[in-house]
Amino acid sequence: MSNPQGCFITLEGTEGVGKSTNLAFIESLLADAGVSYALTREPGGTPLAEELREMLLAPREETVADDAELLMVFAARAQHLQAVIKPALQAGQWVLCDRFTDATFAYQGGGRGLDQSLILDLEQRVQKGLQPDLTLLLDVPVEIGLARAAKRGALDRFEQEQIGFFERVRAAYLQRAKNQPERFAVIDASVTLVEVQEQIAKVMAGFLKRHLSA
């Protein structure tokens, strides 16, 4: 299946919400519906963007300036958009992306406390109006998410932050969802996996019906 312009779906959430497992579940829903899609992630998605991802996530003794972090995120995004996301959408493919700019507003805006207007300016310059058609936000209390993340092994630079950082990240995500209810679907990811995927399936069924019958 393809449309003149593909649909752009993003999956968001803090640490330990189950993005990897549920990304695979969303893939299965798209495949069952006969949708041609590209799976990608942020930061990353291209060789250059993946190198920037490694730089962003790697623990290091040097303190990374907040502005430097933000600019690396958008450098990776600019490359990702140019090489992967825009060509796929223009070809009528759907794009399923693990995180996008909402993560920047949450982590760099909420978590780091950077000026929202600076992020907005970069968003406009890099994306030129491009926004996801649907954003699924997996939400859990921070303590639960961090406990899950700790079981995965070594923590990256972001996962090593203090709990207050993640509380601000979660609050920023939920505020964005409240401000843009037409795009966001908030999924309670604190319940069982079966219950989480029931919520996701319901949202996706409605979205697929609207866009495949258009």
Side-chain angles (χ1 to χ4, degrees):
M1 301 288 296
S2 66
N3 292 332
Q5 174 81 14
C7 291
F8 186 16
I9 301 171
T10 57
L11 187 64
E12 297 280 358
T14 55
E15 273 60 34
V17 295
K19 282 194 295 89
S20 297
T21 300
N22 289 298
L23 202 68
F25 178 66
I26 297 168
E27 278 194 88
S28 72
L29 296 177
L30 293 176
D32 288 347
V35 172
S36 174
Y37 68 93
L39 176 66
T40 190
R41 69 176 182 176
E42 287 219 343
T46 80
L48 173 58
E50 288 291 336
E51 288 182 34
L52 287 164
R53 177 189 180 89
E54 291 178 14
M55 293 170 63
L56 281 160
L57 298 186
R60 62 185 73 244
E61 292 184 8
E62 178 184 9
T63 300
V64 179
D66 292 345
D67 284 349
E69 181 179 282
L70 177 64
L71 291 170
M72 281 193 285
V73 167
F74 270 103
R77 182 163 298 133
Q79 185 69 13
H80 191 204
L81 282 163
Q82 181 68 24
V84 176
I85 295 175
K86 288 182 177 179
L89 293 174
Q90 289 165 1
Q93 266 195 314
W94 289 31
V95 174
L96 174 58
C97 190
D98 181 350
R99 292 206 171 118
F100 193 59
T101 310
D102 293 303
T104 309
F105 281 99
Y107 281 79
Q108 283 71 47
R112 301 290 187 218
L114 287 176
D115 189 339
Q116 297 279 323
S117 64
L118 173 59
I119 302 174
L120 276 168
D121 183 55
L122 288 167
E123 178 186 37
Q124 291 164 1
R125 289 174 183 271
V126 170
Q127 295 167 221
K128 297 178 174 60
L130 178 66
Q131 292 287 340
D133 298 291
L134 171 65
T135 297
L136 295 125
L137 173 60
L138 300 177
D139 178 61
V140 297
V142 170
E143 295 87 347
I144 295 174
L146 292 179
R148 291 176 180 174
K151 297 177 181 178
R152 297 197 300 247
L155 302 179
D156 65 33
R157 190 171 66 86
F158 286 92
E159 291 169 339
Q160 293 177 5
E161 289 289 343
Q162 298 299 310
I163 191 168
F165 174 85
F166 295 107
E167 294 285 6
R168 295 191 297 274
V169 170
R170 184 189 183 205
Y173 265 135
L174 291 173
Q175 187 62 53
R176 285 185 68 74
K178 182 179 179 180
N179 292 345
Q180 300 179 59
E182 72 288 346
R183 174 166 70 86
F184 273 88
V186 179
I187 306 296
D188 179 2
S190 67
V191 295
T192 67
L193 180 60
V194 170
E195 292 170 313
V196 170
Q197 294 185 343
E198 285 175 349
Q199 296 173 68
I200 292 172
K202 183 177 180 179
V203 171
M204 288 299 299
F207 185 80
L208 287 163
K209 182 178 180 180
R210 289 193 301 275
H211 289 274
L212 294 182
S213 61

